Amino acid sequence: MQKVWLIKALVVALILLLLKLVLMSINGVVAERDMRQEQVVQEIASSNYGAQVYSGVILVLPYIEEWEKANAFGQLEKVREQRYLRIFPATNDLDSNVKVSTKSRGLFKARIFDWQATGRGEFVIDDLKMERKQSDSRLSFGEPFLSLPLADARGLIGSPSLQWNEQKLHFEKGAGWAEGGSGLHVKLPAVDPSKKQRFKYSLSIALRGTQAIAVVPLADDNDIKMVSPWPHPSFGGQFLPNADSQQVTKSGFSAQWNVSSLASNAQQQMSDKGGGPPERIEVRFIEPIDIYSLSDRALKYGFLFILLTFCCFLLFEVLKRLPIHPAQYLMVGLALATFFLLLVALSEHIAFAVAYAAASLACIALLAIYLTAVLGSILRGTAFGGLLTALYGALYGLLVSEDNALLLGAILVFGVLALAMLSTRKIDWYALTAQQAIKP
């Protein structure tokens, strides 16, 4: 008898191993579909417009440094080097509104947005420090301009509107200097760097982008506000919104940031050549339910799901003296594994909750009918179907409650273990193994 139970245990263990491989294969399908989703986002970004980074305007003062130095023959020769002095705003008040929509390519989707903003601020010129290679060199100043760097200028909607000291100016293509990258610039009236001056500006701009909008806090004092009807923002970057200003509801979100240059390295990073991406405020527009991440999370519980079902089979064998063949274990395990494949396939076409309900009901109905014959009773088949319904319901609770998933999972495992222990607490296992062998 003990040998029969041992052989059966080994066979069931091999079946569990096989089912583990099946779940890993399904997990590979989920990972492949998730990767394809990311590729579609990148394709849409490359063919239209990508994630946007708005740095605001920078006052650029070109100048040439001239000095003389001796060459290899002792002769003096003139050296001229072009430089750009970048002056950042003293203040920047930015009010913005974001409208989010979805762009589809086949079954896969990417979120695109229209970002409309109005920025107001002031530049203060006082005690400017020019970069020099020679202390006695001569400086000559060129025509100043206002630069507006953009991550992806293809996303511009119309032409930005600029008021400079109550004068309306028009942007030209290009950031205006080599290190500025993509963007726009506008030429300004002459600026005397030796005098203290103040220049007020107002800028209205609209950008279209994909997935995320970022704002670089370049001013000495930045007050940034953002509102949107999109109810699922993800705040990131190096600065989070003010705790008392952040509001996220079903009708949208609003947030405000107050960032000082004393707390940010953005000015230094924008001034340094090759300094890397500057610190920023970022808002990503995420899907309320990411079907691939939820499917991946469900698969993490898949093996436990099958193991619990097999434990219930074992209880039937022990308590009801009802033999269940290893082939029947395999059939039930494959049906349980197929649920996860159905879930992924259906959720690409319909809402995840509906897909979960359809896939679970199909598997529960199939298993209830099959187990009615295996267990020799409609009542037992129905009871097992009810047990599976409870397990599927518990699994859905684990998926949608991300913050409490570990707690709920631990309670579920403990509850099932407690039920098994209480149900078998009076069984004499030695007497059981001494009885006539149960046919496998």
Side-chain angles (χ1 to χ4, degrees):
M1 175 60 187
Q2 293 179 354
K3 186 177 180 181
V4 172
W5 277 102
L6 179 60
I7 293 173
K8 188 166 189 176
L10 289 175
V11 173
V12 172
L14 289 174
I15 291 173
L16 283 171
L17 180 60
L18 174 63
L19 293 173
K20 178 69 173 179
L21 295 176
V22 172
L23 290 175
M24 290 174 63
S25 177
I26 296 174
N27 195 44
V29 173
V30 174
E32 185 272 331
R33 304 297 280 181
D34 190 27
M35 186 180 298
R36 178 56 187 153
Q37 166 71 27
E38 291 299 322
Q39 288 175 349
V40 167
V41 172
Q42 295 300 322
E43 289 170 5
I44 291 175
S46 62
S47 60
N48 292 279
Y49 24 73
Q52 292 288 1
V53 180
Y54 174 79
S55 302
V57 288
I58 304 171
L59 176 56
V60 182
L61 185 57
Y63 67 95
I64 295 175
E65 182 183 9
E66 296 180 304
W67 70 93
E68 293 181 339
K69 71 173 184 178
N71 59 21
F73 302 101
Q75 298 173 333
L76 292 178
E77 60 181 21
K78 185 177 291 186
V79 180
R80 292 166 53 95
E81 287 195 6
Q82 176 76 60
R83 316 246 176 181
Y84 296 94
L85 177 65
R86 278 149 281 196
I87 305 170
F88 302 105
T91 60
N92 178 34
D93 295 329
L94 185 69
D95 293 320
S96 60
N97 183 281
V98 192
K99 294 181 180 179
V100 183
S101 57
T102 300
K103 190 177 185 67
S104 299
R105 181 168 293 182
L107 294 175
F108 305 99
K109 301 175 182 179
R111 285 157 303 287
I112 61 175
F113 61 85
D114 289 350
W115 183 76
Q116 296 183 330
T118 300
R120 298 178 182 84
E122 184 179 47
F123 286 90
V124 177
I125 296 180
D126 184 23
D127 191 24
L128 299 179
K129 295 180 180 179
M130 310 293 181
E131 180 187 353
R132 290 176 182 258
K133 285 193 174 179
Q134 296 288 332
S135 59
D136 58 346
S137 62
R138 296 177 299 277
L139 301 180
S140 57
F141 295 93
E143 188 177 27
F145 60 89
L146 205 63
S147 179
L148 177 60
L150 295 172
D152 193 343
R154 297 174 302 168
L156 273 172
I157 304 174
S159 300
S161 174
L162 174 68
Q163 293 283 342
W164 181 259
N165 271 0
E166 307 303 327
Q167 181 182 0
K168 188 173 182 180
L169 300 177
H170 299 281
F171 282 99
E172 300 178 26
K173 190 175 182 180
W177 86 99
E179 293 83 2
S182 174
L184 305 173
H185 75 281
V186 59
K187 297 177 181 178
L188 299 176
V191 173
D192 187 349
S194 64
K195 296 181 180 179
K196 184 174 181 178
Q197 302 167 80
R198 292 179 178 271
F199 301 97
K200 293 184 178 181
Y201 72 90
S202 174
L203 172 68
S204 296
I205 185 172
L207 291 172
R208 184 170 288 128
T210 304
Q211 300 292 96
I213 177 71
V215 178
V216 179
L218 281 181
D220 294 338
D221 291 298
N222 301 272
D223 184 8
I224 301 167
K225 302 181 185 70
M226 191 179 299
V227 297
S228 173
W230 184 256
H232 307 286
S234 175
F235 300 108
Q238 285 71 41
F239 307 96
L240 293 177
N242 302 340
D244 57 347
S245 72
Q246 180 178 327
Q247 295 183 350
V248 181
T249 65
K250 292 181 179 180
S251 59
F253 76 89
S254 62
Q256 181 174 355
W257 296 258
N258 295 109
V259 182
S260 168
S261 60
L262 297 176
S264 169
N265 294 319
Q267 291 185 359
Q268 182 65 34
Q269 291 164 329
M270 287 292 287
S271 298
D272 292 340
K273 295 179 182 179
E279 294 179 345
R280 63 190 62 184
I281 291 160
E282 185 177 58
V283 180
R284 299 186 64 82
F285 307 104
I286 62 175
E287 282 287 355
I289 296 179
D290 185 342
I291 60 173
Y292 300 114
S293 63
L294 287 178
S295 298
D296 179 68
R297 198 186 310 164
L299 278 163
K300 286 181 171 60
Y301 294 97
F303 187 73
L304 176 63
F305 205 68
I306 295 173
L307 185 61
L308 291 175
T309 305
F310 281 14
C311 288
C312 292
F313 273 13
L314 178 62
L315 289 179
F316 266 99
E317 289 203 59
V318 172
L319 297 176
K320 301 298 183 181
R321 305 294 192 272
L322 183 67
I324 300 177
H325 196 275
Q328 294 168 325
Y329 275 87
L330 178 61
M331 290 291 186
V332 172
L334 288 174
L336 292 171
T338 304
F339 158 77
F340 298 100
L341 189 60
L342 275 175
L343 176 62
V344 178
L346 289 173
S347 60
E348 290 184 338
H349 297 271
I350 57 179
F352 183 84
V354 178
Y356 189 94
S360 57
L361 286 174
C363 289
I364 290 170
L366 173 63
L367 288 169
I369 294 171
Y370 181 73
L371 291 174
T372 296
V374 172
L375 301 178
S377 167
I378 295 178
L379 181 60
R380 291 172 183 172
T382 304
F384 217 98
L387 178 61
L388 288 173
T389 302
L391 285 176
Y392 277 112
L395 178 60
Y396 187 77
L398 291 175
L399 297 182
V400 299
S401 182
E402 183 175 358
D403 294 338
N404 300 313
L406 180 59
L407 175 62
L408 294 175
I411 292 174
L412 174 62
V413 172
F414 179 80
V416 173
L417 179 60
L419 178 63
M421 292 176 67
L422 292 175
S423 300
T424 59
R425 68 187 185 276
K426 295 182 179 180
I427 293 178
D428 186 345
W429 295 95
Y430 286 104
L432 182 66
T433 56
Q435 293 175 5
Q436 185 179 359
I438 301 176
K439 295 181 181 180

